[in-house]
Amino acid sequence: MLRPWQSRTAALHSKRCREQLVSCARSWGWTIALELLQNVQAGVDDTCFTMAMLACGRAGQWARTVALFDNLRQAAVKPTSIAFLAAIAACERCSRWTMALKILE
């Protein structure tokens, strides 16, 4: 069980991670986004996954984007419409239409 200060620290860490992932998504920093996502131990949510997906997708890393989308689903987190859009857009950028259709299944 987390003590109150540990809970606040985890929440702050999660917030900072989200902010950094948003920055990565805006700047095409997909390698940094993946590294951040791997190093975060607590507080990874759909927003974190989605921002990492956007960073990968914008850099043409469609396979990594789809892998993150699959990880999101396996984590029993309901993907948001933005997560679906990020995955489909990444596939579209690289002309992977069959993969984009599989995402919708």
Side-chain angles (χ1 to χ4, degrees):
M1 184 169 167
L2 291 176
R3 294 188 176 116
W5 64 271
Q6 290 173 316
S7 179
R8 284 192 301 271
T9 301
L12 182 60
H13 181 69
S14 177
K15 182 179 177 187
R16 284 187 184 150
C17 181
R18 262 189 241 114
E19 290 168 356
Q20 290 172 342
L21 284 166
V22 168
S23 178
C24 289
R26 290 181 180 153
S27 67
W28 297 36
W30 68 273
T31 55
I32 296 168
L34 290 178
E35 196 173 307
L36 280 169
L37 202 58
Q38 288 176 349
N39 291 331
V40 174
Q41 305 227 342
V44 175
D45 58 10
D46 62 322
T47 303
C48 294
F49 274 101
T50 302
M51 290 300 115
M53 289 168 54
L54 286 169
C56 290
R58 288 180 178 161
Q61 298 292 321
W62 70 270
R64 292 179 195 272
T65 305
V66 171
L68 287 170
F69 187 78
D70 290 341
N71 288 344
L72 181 63
R73 282 182 160 172
Q74 290 171 2
V77 177
K78 184 178 178 185
T80 62
S81 58
I82 298 170
F84 274 99
L85 178 65
I88 292 168
C91 293
E92 182 269 331
R93 279 188 190 93
C94 298
S95 299
R96 303 292 179 168
W97 292 105
T98 54
M99 184 57 69
L101 292 173
K102 287 182 182 180
I103 290 167
L104 293 173
E105 293 177 351

